[in-house]
Amino acid sequence: MNERGIKLIKEFEGCRLTAYRCPAGVWTIGYGHTEGVYSGMRITQEIADKFLRNDLIKFETAVLAYNYLYKWNENEAAALTSFAYNCGTGSLKNLLKNGSRSRSEIRSAILLYNKDINGHYLAGLARRRKAELELFNTPCASAEAPEKDYKTVDDIVDGIWRGDFGTPWSKSDLLYKYFLKKVNERRR
């Protein structure tokens, strides 16, 4: 997930540092985080950002499951991660038709996800889909590893998260798997 994708998610999700019930009645906090949230819960901005980073792993993984077919560039992966974060991994599978749609078909189909669960058009969802499509269509420069001195594994993991190496999956699947392992270790 690159900074452009994170910025897009933050812009459309908004951030609340006090727990609230979402329209579906689920206790929610931060940028749409729901796990372990309870009435009266309060968090800091730093915790909200940490929740977002951790929550993104599930959706990035869902997008990466199709990388062997599409070889996503950084912006395509970020746009689809934002889409999945908002609509869910099931909707991502539908959008991609389980890997059978072309990029052109994906571009056309993403704009159709602009309705609530009752089928009502929502202008906010239409704006979000348009922003995701713009990010999806934005070309990427080839990302080479920066000339930095990484002294520890944590430095490397932080560098991967910041995007110092491009998107992790553009370097190697092993690097990304290692990154996920280290992130999960930090979560414990």
Side-chain angles (χ1 to χ4, degrees), residues 16-59:
R16 293 193 191 175
L17 301 179
T18 302
Y20 65 97
R21 285 194 189 266
C22 73
V26 177
W27 284 107
T28 306
I29 202 161
Y31 298 100
H33 178 77
T34 58
E35 185 179 336
V37 180
Y38 53 88
S39 175
M41 183 176 180
R42 292 180 180 274
I43 60 172
T44 64
Q45 184 64 52
E46 182 180 347
I47 297 296
D49 290 337
K50 183 177 180 178
F51 282 163
L52 174 61
R53 286 192 305 270
N54 288 338
D55 290 345
L56 282 172
I57 293 170
K58 170 185 172 183
F59 302 104

Side-chain angles (χ1 to χ4, degrees), residues 128-158:
R128 183 172 185 156
R129 297 295 92 83
K130 183 179 178 196
E132 289 164 347
L133 179 61
E134 287 174 10
L135 181 56
F136 188 89
N137 289 332
T138 302
C140 292
S142 176
E144 292 299 320
E147 297 298 323
K148 289 190 177 182
D149 189 17
Y150 298 97
K151 295 184 182 346
T152 67
V153 169
D154 284 344
D155 291 342
I156 295 168
V157 169
D158 290 342

